[in-house]
Amino acid sequence: MTKESKKDGGVNPRDEAKERLENFALKVLESVNQIEPPKISIPSRSTSNIVFDEKERYYTISGKTVTRTSANMRQVKKFAQTMCAADFCKDLIESKKTATLREMYYISEGWETGGFADQGRSDRIVEDLESTFGVKREDLGLLPEEDGASIFGDIVIDEGGMEVKATKVGRAGYTIPPTMSDVEFVECGADCVLAVETMGMYHRLIQEEAWKKFDALVVALKGQPARATRRFLKRANKELDLPVYLFTDGDPFGFHIAMVVISGSAQLAYINHELAVPEAQFIGVTASDIENYDLPTDKLRESDVQRLKQLLKDPRYSDDIWQSEIKKMLNLNKKAEQQAFSKYGLEYVVDKYLPEKLT
Amino acid sequence: MTKESKKDGGVNPRDEAKERLENFALKVLESVNQIEPPKISIPSRSTSNIVFDEKERYYTISGKTVTRTSANMRQVKKFAQTMCAADFCKDLIESKKTATLREMYYISEGWETGGFADQGRSDRIVEDLESTFGVKREDLGLLPEEDGASIFGDIVIDEGGMEVKATKVGRAGYTIPPTMSDVEFVECGADCVLAVETMGMYHRLIQEEAWKKFDALVVALKGQPARATRRFLKRANKELDLPVYLFTDGDPFGFHIAMVVISGSAQLAYINHELAVPEAQFIGVTASDIENYDLPTDKLRESDVQRLKQLLKDPRYSDDIWQSEIKKMLNLNKKAEQQAFSKYGLEYVVDKYLPEKLT
C-alpha cells in the first residue's frame, strides 16, 4: 500500500515562524510609536503551570503567562536579548540556514545587548520564543547537537528537492536531518514503525530483515530520542497513519524512553502537541517477559528501585498494565536488556519475541 | 580527479579471518591426536609490552607472548571459552552475519563452558582472538554499539553490491556501517578528508558547502571516533591517497581525539597498524588561535590542567609545535571550542579560519 505525501501542517512551518516573529516586531514598533514601553507575554513554564492532559494523554501548559517588559530595569536587557534572538532567527529563515544553539550562544557575543553568561540562558530565550509564538525551535532554524535517528525500510523522503529511498543508502540506513521541517514523505510502503532503543538491536533487525517481515520502518532511537526523532514518529503516525511500536530495554530508563515518545516530557509541555504520540504502543521488555522468556538479567540498582517507585506515582503510568509490571519488576528485583534474547540465538528476537508481542 | 577503487587489503578480510580461525582449530586437533594438551600463544597486551614506534609513529606491541594451555586447571575454562568464541565467529563469517559484543556475551550463556561473569571478560577474549590471529574484530563479525561517522562529499561507496553516493542520501550524509570490511571505494572526486569533532560543525560545513569549496570529504567524528571511523580515515588515506585534516576543539579532549586518529591508542597497540593515520594533520583550535582570533573561551578546569601536563610528557606530543602550544594553553589558562568562530558569523569558519589553516 502506497500512501500519498502530506506536508508538515500544509504550509511551510519556517514561513509561518517568520510571520509570527515579524508580527512580534510590528507590535513592538506599534508600542514605540504610541510612546508605550514594548512588552511581551510569555506562557509560564513553571511546574505549577504544567498539567497532564488526561484526554490528550500528554503534558501541556495551562493558561498562566508572565510579562516581560522593557519598562522594568531588571527585565529590559532580557527583553532586548529576546528581540535580538528573534531577529537572528528571522535572518536564519530568510537565508534558509540553520544554526546550533551553541552557535547562537557564541554569536550573541556580537549583539548590542552583549552575550549571555552561559548557554543555559540563551537556550531559555529560545524556549521563550517557542512557547510565546507556538513554533518549534527547529522551524526557527535552531538545532541542538544531537544525532538524528537512523531509519531503514520502505519509505521515500524528499529533503528540499533531494529524494532519498531509505533502503538504498547503505546498511546503516537513512539518518534524519536535525530539522524535519523541510522533510516530506513522498511514498511509503511500510505498515508500521518499529522503533528500538539501541543501535545493536537496530542492526540486528536490519540483518534479520525484520523490516520486510513486519512491513516496518525500523527506527533507531539511540537512547533518549532527539526531538527530530520524536517529530518523525509523530508525523509517521499522523500523516502516514502508521502504528508506532516501541521496543526498549526492560528497565526504568527503557520505560522512560518509551513514555517520552508516548506522552512527552513535562519540561517540553509547551510543545508536546507537536511531539507526543499517545497512540504509540510499548512492546519493550517487561517483568513478565523476564519470567516467561527466562531472560538473562541484572539486579536492580538502588537508583532503579527509586526510579520505579517514582514511576508508580506518575500519571503517565497510571494504567493497570504499567502498574502491575512495575510492581512485578520491583518484586523480581531484576531488569533485562533487549539484546538479552540473543541467549536463544541471534534470530530469536525476530522469529519469536516480536511476532508474539505484535499480536 | 577520479581514483580507482582498491579492496581492503586485496582479499576479503573476513575470508582471511576465517582461514586463521580454522588453522587454529586444526592445530588444536593435531595436539589432541598427538595426545598433547592444546595450547595457544597470545601476544601480551600488558603495559610493559606496549612500545611507541618512533619510525611508524604509533603505539605497537613488542614480542612478548603469554601461553594459555588446556593443561592448566586455572586456564582450561578460559582456553575452552576462547575456542567457543572462535567457533562462534567462524559461524558468523559463514552466515555473513555480525553480532554486537553484547550479543556474544549473552549468547555465551548457552556455551558448554558456561557464560562469562561480565561483558568485560568476553570482550577480552575477543581481544585475544584479534591479537593472536592478527585480525580485526570487525572481520570476525563482532561489533561494538558505537554509532559510525557521517560522511558528506564526492565519493561513491559499494556495500556488498549496493552503491551509495554520499551526496545523494540526505543532508545528514552517508553513515558508515559498524564494519568497514565489505565497503569498497568505487569512485572519489574529493582531494582531501576534513574530519571534524562535532555534529554541529559537520552540519555547518555542509551548509556552507565546504565540501565543494575544499574538494573535501567532510567527516563527523562524533567525539572520540569509533573504530570503523578510524578505519575509514586510514583507508581513505592509504587507498585513495587523500590527506586527512583533523579539526577539533581547542582543549585537551580535542587534542586527544586528533592524536588517537594520528598515532592510535596504547590500549589498541596490537591493531594500530590497521587504524593509525600518522600522516593526518591537526588543524584544530590551538592556544595561538585563541589569541590570534580573539576567540570566546572557557577557563581551564583543574582536570584540563592535569591532562595537559600529562600530554607534555606523552611521546606522541613530543614535537616542538605541540609542546609550545600545550605550554601556551597552560599559560593562557583558557580553552576554546570549534564553534567559537561563530562569534564572527556562521560563515567565518569556512570563509576565513579553514582557508588560513589549510595553507
Side-chain angles (χ1 to χ4, degrees), chain A residues 112-139:
Chain A
E112 289 158 4
T113 56
F116 298 91
D118 57 65
Q119 196 194 324
R121 288 172 204 243
S122 63
D123 287 355
R124 279 197 290 282
I125 293 284
V126 176
E127 290 172 13
D128 290 342
L129 294 178
E130 286 188 287
S131 56
T132 305
F133 302 116
V135 296
K136 296 189 295 301
R137 67 180 179 208
E138 294 85 340
D139 301 330

Side-chain angles (χ1 to χ4, degrees), chain B residues 39-46 48-50 61-69 75 128 131-134 270:
Chain B
K39 60 183 187 224
I40 181 174
S41 174
I42 301 170
S44 164
R45 301 191 298 279
S46 73
S48 64
N49 202 38
I50 294 172
I61 44 175
S62 197
K64 231 188 325 180
T65 59
V66 289
T67 300
R68 181 171 299 160
T69 167
Q75 293 176 15
D128 290 342
S131 56
T132 304
F133 302 114
Y270 61 96

Side-chain angles (χ1 to χ4, degrees), chain B residues 94-219:
Chain B
E94 284 179 345
S95 59
K96 293 184 193 299
K97 286 202 175 186
T98 57
T100 63
L101 294 165
R102 191 88 187 138
E103 283 176 322
M104 186 185 109
Y105 163 65
Y106 282 124
I107 276 182
S108 69
E109 296 227 344
W111 293 350
E112 288 157 6
T113 57
F116 298 90
D118 56 66
Q119 197 193 324
R121 288 171 203 244
S122 63
D123 287 355
R124 278 198 292 281
I125 294 283
V126 176
E127 289 172 14
D128 290 342
L129 295 177
E130 286 188 288
S131 56
T132 304
F133 302 114
V135 297
K136 296 190 295 302
R137 67 177 179 209
E138 295 85 340
D139 301 330
L140 296 170
L142 293 170
L143 312 173
E145 290 274 336
E146 303 160 319
D147 203 18
S150 300
I151 294 164
F152 203 96
D154 187 4
I155 190 167
V156 179
I157 266 161
D158 181 296
E159 279 190 22
M162 191 197 296
E163 279 202 4
V164 184
K165 191 169 167 56
T167 49
K168 296 291 180 200
V169 296
R171 263 176 297 145
Y174 165 71
T175 305
I176 61 173
T179 154
M180 284 286 296
S181 303
D182 61 351
V183 169
E184 284 177 52
F185 298 141
V186 177
E187 217 181 284
C188 178
D191 289 334
C192 67
V193 174
L194 189 48
V196 301
E197 179 174 337
T198 64
M199 281 304 278
M201 185 53 70
Y202 174 76
H203 284 296
R204 172 62 42 224
L205 295 193
I206 293 172
Q207 210 164 96
E208 307 303 332
E209 301 198 319
W211 59 282
K212 275 189 192 167
K213 182 161 183 171
F214 304 117
D215 289 317
L217 300 181
V218 178
V219 174

Side-chain angles (χ1 to χ4, degrees), chain A residues 201-258:
Chain A
M201 185 53 69
Y202 173 76
H203 285 295
R204 172 62 41 224
L205 295 193
I206 293 173
Q207 210 164 97
E208 307 303 331
E209 301 200 316
W211 58 283
K212 275 188 191 167
K213 182 163 182 168
F214 304 117
D215 290 317
L217 300 179
V218 178
V219 174
L221 298 171
K222 304 183 185 181
Q224 178 76 51
R227 273 171 60 158
T229 306
R230 293 168 56 195
R231 184 67 192 149
F232 174 85
L233 297 175
K234 175 79 177 178
R235 289 185 56 196
N237 179 248
K238 219 175 75 176
E239 297 173 30
L240 301 174
D241 292 322
L242 300 183
V244 173
Y245 301 106
L246 302 164
F247 178 23
T248 68
D249 286 342
D251 58 30
F253 188 56
F255 298 164
H256 176 68
I257 286 172

Side-chain angles (χ1 to χ4, degrees), chain A residues 31-69:
Chain A
S31 301
V32 172
N33 284 336
Q34 295 177 350
I35 324 181
E36 273 173 14
K39 61 184 187 221
I40 182 175
S41 174
I42 300 169
S44 163
R45 299 191 299 279
S46 72
T47 324
S48 64
N49 202 38
I50 294 172
V51 290
F52 185 70
D53 188 320
E54 296 283 353
K55 192 171 142 275
E56 300 285 358
R57 286 178 292 157
Y58 53 70
Y59 279 108
T60 183
I61 43 174
S62 194
K64 230 188 325 181
T65 60
V66 288
T67 300
R68 182 172 298 158
T69 167

Side-chain angles (χ1 to χ4, degrees), chain B residues 234-303:
Chain B
K234 175 79 176 176
R235 291 184 55 194
N237 180 248
K238 219 175 74 175
E239 298 173 30
L240 301 173
D241 292 322
L242 301 183
V244 174
Y245 301 106
L246 302 164
F247 177 23
T248 68
D249 287 342
D251 58 30
F253 187 56
F255 298 163
H256 176 69
I257 286 172
M259 193 52 81
V260 164
V261 172
I262 296 169
S263 289
S265 64
Q267 200 200 344
L268 294 181
Y270 61 96
I271 207 86
N272 276 338
H273 56 284
E274 300 256 23
L275 299 174
V277 191
E279 293 79 19
Q281 288 174 63
F282 176 72
I283 58 162
V285 182
T286 61
S288 298
D289 292 332
I290 290 176
E291 288 189 324
N292 297 340
Y293 292 93
D294 189 22
L295 293 178
T297 55
D298 285 309
K299 208 168 158 284
L300 292 182
R301 293 182 193 176
E302 185 50 36
S303 58

